Amino acid sequence: SPLMCAPQQAVPNNHMNQIETEFNALASIYESNRLSSWYKAHAALVLNACTEHTNGKILDIGCGTGYLLRKLCQQNPRSLGVGIDIAHNMVREARNKATSDNIENVRFITGDWEEIDPSLHFKDNFNLILCSSSFHYFSRPLQSIEKIHALLAPGGVFILLERDKTQSLLTLVWDLVHRYLIKDHVVFYNESGLTDLCSKAGFDDVRVVERIKRYFWMNKFFTSLSLIQGIKQDTRGKF
């Protein structure tokens, strides 16, 4: 792939070890368990939002089994996709499923986005970068988005899908549980906090593309999601 150098595996940082173990265990059933329809619905929201930006080079951060990226590359054969996930079993599933579906314009690598050195993995910048339902795991959120901004080509688009605790008591409770009981680095954000982070990282035209607030949606009691888009200004001051 012209996007990738010789494959190298980034060393995960310590706080991600538990998350890595959890998702390695889930990999074989991730697209068929009780919550699979919920995550596939997330993918559908992202796919719908990026229809105008899919003919270039695409990076999916926290890709899991690659469901979103596989669908995107299958629908857009002129695109070239790369997925990265910290869980090696997820990456193995993603590769196997892409092979089974004869999707040749996609690659998957194992790595921790917060620790990875893009210069060791990617030769070119991306036109579209996605992060769907994985941003809350990052311990250094601003630096993570700044790295995304740096890796986008001028005029490139970043699409972020995350839970929004603004109107969700359940998400707020989980945020408090992680912060004060589990004491890990998982953080759930308000929508305004997510848009502020994107703006601070250098993105222009940061906006909420879609909000989802639904009860009993896809086997979840209540779902509160925000789909956010940011654009990297090009070198001529145009978008």
Side-chain angles (χ1 to χ4, degrees), residues 10-15 112-118 139-140 147:
V11 179
N13 56 36
N14 291 333
H15 88 88
D112 181 345
W113 178 251
E114 294 190 87
E115 300 297 327
I116 195 172
D117 182 351
S139 62
R140 300 186 296 275
K147 188 184 290 188

Side-chain angles (χ1 to χ4, degrees), residues 58-163:
I58 304 164
L59 176 64
D60 185 5
I61 300 168
C63 65
T65 55
Y67 178 84
L68 166 60
L69 192 59
R70 290 183 351 251
K71 291 292 182 183
L72 201 157
C73 289
Q74 196 170 38
Q75 294 172 11
N76 301 275
R78 296 180 62 184
S79 67
L80 185 60
V82 177
I84 180 170
D85 199 274
I86 194 171
H88 63 271
N89 285 349
M90 287 285 193
V91 170
R92 183 179 62 195
E93 286 288 322
R95 290 171 177 164
N96 289 342
K97 291 178 184 297
T99 299
S100 297
D101 293 341
N102 296 315
I103 305 171
E104 298 181 352
N105 56 328
V106 66
R107 301 289 183 271
F108 296 98
I109 60 175
T110 304
D112 181 345
W113 178 251
E114 294 190 87
E115 300 297 327
I116 195 172
D117 182 351
S119 66
L120 297 178
H121 291 78
F122 312 117
K123 292 182 178 179
D124 302 315
N125 286 356
F126 292 87
N127 306 105
L128 174 66
I129 297 182
L130 312 172
C131 187
S132 177
S133 303
S134 58
F135 185 74
H136 52 277
Y137 292 116
F138 296 153
S139 62
R140 300 186 296 275
L142 180 58
Q143 292 91 330
S144 296
I145 299 184
E146 287 175 338
K147 188 184 290 188
I148 290 168
H149 185 272
L151 200 53
L152 273 170
V157 174
F158 172 46
I159 292 180
L160 172 65
L161 179 69
E162 259 302 328
R163 303 179 202 185

Side-chain angles (χ1 to χ4, degrees), residues 12 33 36 82 115-116 122 154 160 171 183 190 207 222 227:
N33 67 8
S36 62
V82 177
E115 300 297 327
I116 195 172
F122 312 117
L160 172 65
T171 304
K183 296 182 179 179
N190 294 322
R207 60 190 178 91
F222 182 69
L227 186 67

